[in-house]
Amino acid sequence: MSKHDTWVKLKPGNPFEPILDLFPDRMIPMRDPFPLEMAVNADGENVPLWIIDIDRLSIPQTRALAQLIASYCGAGVDEVAQEAATKGGFSMADGWIESMECDAEGFQRSKELADFFESAPQPPSKKAWRNFYNSQHERWIAGNEQPPPINSIEDVDPRLRTPELERALTRRKIDFAIGQGNYSVLDVLTGRAFTDALNIIDPENSYSLVGYDDDFEDEDIYE
């Protein structure tokens, strides 16, 4: 099984706030593939639900979620835990999601979903959806398919590129370069670590530190 990588950040005031410190960076793992599903509420209306990935939860996280949801819904803890085991995760209302993050696997699946919508008859039939889902499950869950790595924005399908994503990928490259350099606090404060990182992520240009005693011609300042 490949490493799933869909995570969500929740909006302030969400009912999961009391237990978020149990999760790294207060981000919650979502079920892959397809973290969203439709359910019917008490009024007979279709509502979207996100499914928290039970396979990526620790025992304390699972217990805390079951207790919190049981208390919130007025249900038994065992009942909530059994439903989560059947669905492959705990349900979360769509309105509490502020943002979603994923990595190489999430982007590859998004690309394949976009390809499906472009190639399947519109609207897709139940059979087409079932075949697509079964293929995803066979390759990404039961199998061990690995996504192509993402090292820059050029590795992302053009349909999925955004300026925010490009900035995030650049920050990740800088953080990785600085982390590999074993720099001291002084190296970071003086800019040496950042300068080295720029030379790694932008090899077409050359960056160096400038001392206070270096002389400049006027044209050097304004060019």
Side-chain angles (χ1 to χ4, degrees):
M1 181 184 294
S2 53
K3 182 180 180 181
H4 304 315
D5 54 27
T6 299
W7 299 79
V8 295
K9 179 180 178 181
L10 305 185
K11 296 177 181 178
N14 68 84
F16 298 87
E17 193 72 38
I19 65 172
L20 285 184
D21 287 339
L22 293 174
F23 296 86
D25 300 322
R26 298 170 68 85
M27 302 282 285
I28 297 182
M30 289 291 133
R31 185 188 65 184
D32 284 308
F34 318 128
L36 269 174
E37 69 176 37
M38 298 299 293
V40 179
N41 64 15
D43 297 325
E45 300 171 331
N46 289 325
V47 294
L49 293 176
W50 290 71
I51 306 300
I52 300 171
D53 188 356
I54 197 171
D55 292 332
R56 285 191 284 157
L57 297 176
S58 66
I59 292 177
Q61 290 170 342
T62 302
R63 184 183 300 116
L65 279 166
Q67 292 172 343
L68 185 145
I69 294 173
S71 176
Y72 189 80
C73 298
V77 174
D78 291 342
E79 179 185 354
V80 171
Q82 181 60 43
E83 182 180 4
T86 301
K87 287 185 176 180
F90 296 95
S91 300
M92 176 185 294
D94 176 60
W96 295 118
I97 305 297
E98 180 174 278
S99 62
M100 183 183 78
E101 294 183 7
C102 62
D103 211 316
E105 180 179 323
F107 279 100
Q108 178 61 23
R109 288 181 176 174
S110 297
K111 174 187 179 301
E112 292 175 5
L113 181 60
D115 290 341
F116 169 75
F117 279 124
E118 290 185 356
S119 61
Q122 297 299 315
S125 65
K126 291 183 178 180
K127 181 179 180 181
W129 267 117
R130 184 169 60 251
N131 290 340
F132 177 67
Y133 180 88
N134 289 343
S135 172
Q136 292 280 306
H137 192 284
E138 179 181 349
R139 292 166 46 225
W140 295 105
I141 303 299
N144 192 37
E145 184 149 346
Q146 299 299 316
I150 296 178
N151 297 312
S152 71
I153 194 67
E154 299 302 321
D155 296 324
V156 178
D157 186 277
R159 295 168 294 184
L160 306 176
R161 295 177 189 174
T162 64
E164 293 80 8
L165 175 60
E166 186 170 12
R167 288 194 293 269
L169 291 173
T170 300
R171 284 198 302 271
R172 185 168 71 175
K173 291 177 70 174
I174 291 174
D175 291 342
F176 179 79
I178 292 177
Q180 294 292 102
N182 194 27
Y183 294 106
S184 66
V185 173
L186 183 62
D187 290 333
V188 176
L189 292 176
T190 59
R192 179 194 162 205
F194 190 71
T195 300
D196 289 350
L198 286 174
N199 284 316
I200 292 174
I201 68 173
D202 185 16
E204 296 182 1
N205 294 291
S206 179
Y207 299 88
S208 62
L209 291 175
V210 177
Y212 287 112
D213 297 330
D214 291 339
D215 293 327
F216 293 97
E217 298 293 338
D218 288 343
E219 59 268 22
D220 293 331
I221 298 176
Y222 296 106
E223 286 184 350

